[in-house]
Amino acid sequence: MSTSRAHRDYQYETPHFLLRQVTEEDAPALLRCYSDPAAVARMNADNCMRGFLCETEEDLRAYIRIWQSEDYARPAIICKETGEPVGTLEIFGGETGVLRVDLRTDYEIPEVLRELYTLAVECFPRDFPMEAMVTKAPDGAPHRRAALRELGFSGPASFRGYPDYYRRTMRQLGIAYCGLACCLCSENQNCPGCQNGEKPCFPECENFPCVRERGLNGCWECPDFPCGKGMHQNNLRARAFLKFAQAHGVKKLLECLERNRCAGIVYHRPGGLTGDYDLPTEEAIFHRLETGE
């Protein structure tokens, strides 16, 4: 989708927030964000005619009307617990996509920022194609800088002559040859993924050279699968994902993983390489992929 109408139709969800295009009806609640000098100081007003500090609802409504007319997404961040908009995001794609995060001060905490930045990294490059994403995190926003570093952003550095930007390359990692989900792997900040790389992510990998030698897209295309080679020996998750891809196709596998991710099913828990797909049987993993349960 590339039109402004299509961009306004996008909706997103995280465990604690709903995101949908901002409207003028959001102005009364959002004024708590845009009338707060501390919150505005963290906003990215680079290349804008003026800052975003608003004294009245009508000031903010004027901004919202501009945001609604442009060819980018400007979703309001709706807190599920209160039902109130507590800020907005802005994103547009291109060679370098720019993310703006405007957030009420009482929500400027590590867990909220991590949740919103994770959504941006995992979902926005799909809907707004970009080679890289940049976002501004000024010196007075330490929680933002810490969350961005956790997610593999580098910085701070200048962008188009403006300071304090963090940058991350966006790669479409897809499914590894062995069946693991490169796209969801917590180690993917420094790994290009099997489909893009010239060598396996670890030297002992047996699946990478085998797939390359046979000219396949992955083990799911191999008539000898399951052969017990590499990840297939002892990783139920990899085998189940491969069997799912054989039965339904890789596109369907990615769609199910994305649906489940948005519903809160975790591929890797923080600090480890296991998550909600590490179940006792292949059948149970298959069921979770198919149903999200």
Side-chain angles (χ1 to χ4, degrees):
M1 298 182 183
S2 59
T3 66
S4 58
R5 177 177 291 115
H7 285 180
R8 290 199 297 270
D9 289 341
Y10 283 127
Q11 295 189 20
Y12 302 94
E13 183 173 355
T14 73
H16 298 98
F17 301 97
L18 297 170
L19 287 85
R20 49 93 178 132
Q21 180 66 18
V22 66
T23 69
E24 290 190 50
E25 288 71 28
D26 296 324
L30 284 177
L31 192 62
R32 286 187 61 186
C33 176
Y34 289 95
S35 65
D36 176 8
V40 172
R42 292 186 291 268
M43 296 177 189
N44 178 2
D46 292 345
N47 209 32
C48 297
M49 296 295 292
R50 48 160 285 191
F52 292 114
L53 188 64
C54 298
E55 296 182 355
T56 67
E57 288 183 22
E58 187 49 44
D59 288 342
L60 186 50
R61 289 179 192 275
Y63 271 120
I64 292 173
R65 287 192 290 271
I66 294 171
W67 296 337
Q68 290 177 322
S69 68
E70 297 293 337
D71 188 24
Y72 52 71
R74 190 82 184 214
I77 305 165
I78 313 298
C79 175
K80 289 182 179 179
E81 182 178 359
T82 66
E84 285 188 327
V86 299
T88 69
L89 299 182
E90 178 187 301
I91 185 66
F92 55 86
E95 183 176 349
T96 302
V98 179
L99 171 70
R100 286 185 164 95
V101 179
D102 299 353
L103 196 59
R104 223 167 69 185
T105 294
D106 51 332
Y107 284 81
E108 184 77 13
I109 56 178
E111 51 266 36
V112 170
L113 290 164
R114 194 178 302 115
E115 192 169 317
L116 295 174
Y117 284 136
T118 298
L119 168 77
V121 166
E122 294 182 351
C123 295
F124 289 166
R126 176 196 64 206
D127 295 333
F128 307 89
M130 61 187 73
E131 295 296 320
M133 179 185 292
V134 297
T135 188
K136 191 178 185 76
D139 187 46
H143 295 322
R144 296 189 179 211
R145 291 187 165 195
L148 290 168
R149 286 193 294 267
E150 284 182 26
L151 289 170
F153 283 77
S154 62
S158 64
F159 174 67
R160 295 176 181 170
Y162 296 103
D164 297 323
Y165 277 84
Y166 284 71
R167 179 185 184 93
R168 175 174 162 162
T169 300
M170 297 291 120
R171 299 181 297 270
Q172 301 300 316
L173 300 182
I175 301 298
Y177 294 155
C178 65
L180 297 180
C182 292
C183 53
L184 297 177
C185 178
S186 59
E187 304 296 310
N188 69 13
Q189 288 89 347
N190 299 311
C191 175
C194 291
Q195 307 293 342
N196 305 311
E198 294 302 322
K199 59 183 180 179
C201 59
F202 60 95
E204 299 81 13
C205 177
E206 296 180 274
N207 304 113
F208 185 98
C210 183
V211 168
R212 286 289 177 98
E213 182 179 334
R214 294 180 178 223
L216 304 174
N217 289 312
C219 293
W220 59 87
E221 292 185 348
C222 183
D224 296 330
F225 171 78
C227 65
K229 184 179 293 185
M231 279 290 178
H232 311 162
Q233 289 182 347
N234 53 19
N235 193 302
L236 286 177
R237 178 174 20 126
R239 287 205 302 272
F241 283 14
L242 286 169
K243 290 181 179 179
F244 191 94
Q246 277 189 325
H248 303 292
V250 174
K251 181 180 179 183
K252 181 66 175 179
L253 172 60
L254 289 168
E255 288 173 354
C256 290
L257 288 170
E258 174 61 13
R259 178 203 63 208
N260 289 353
R261 186 203 64 77
C262 291
I265 293 176
V266 177
Y267 184 72
H268 282 168
R269 290 193 177 87
L273 295 177
T274 60
D276 294 335
Y277 291 103
D278 292 284
L279 300 171
T281 67
E282 293 178 20
E283 291 75 15
I285 299 169
F286 231 83
H287 181 74
R288 179 151 289 172
L289 284 169
E290 290 179 319
T291 66
E293 297 175 357

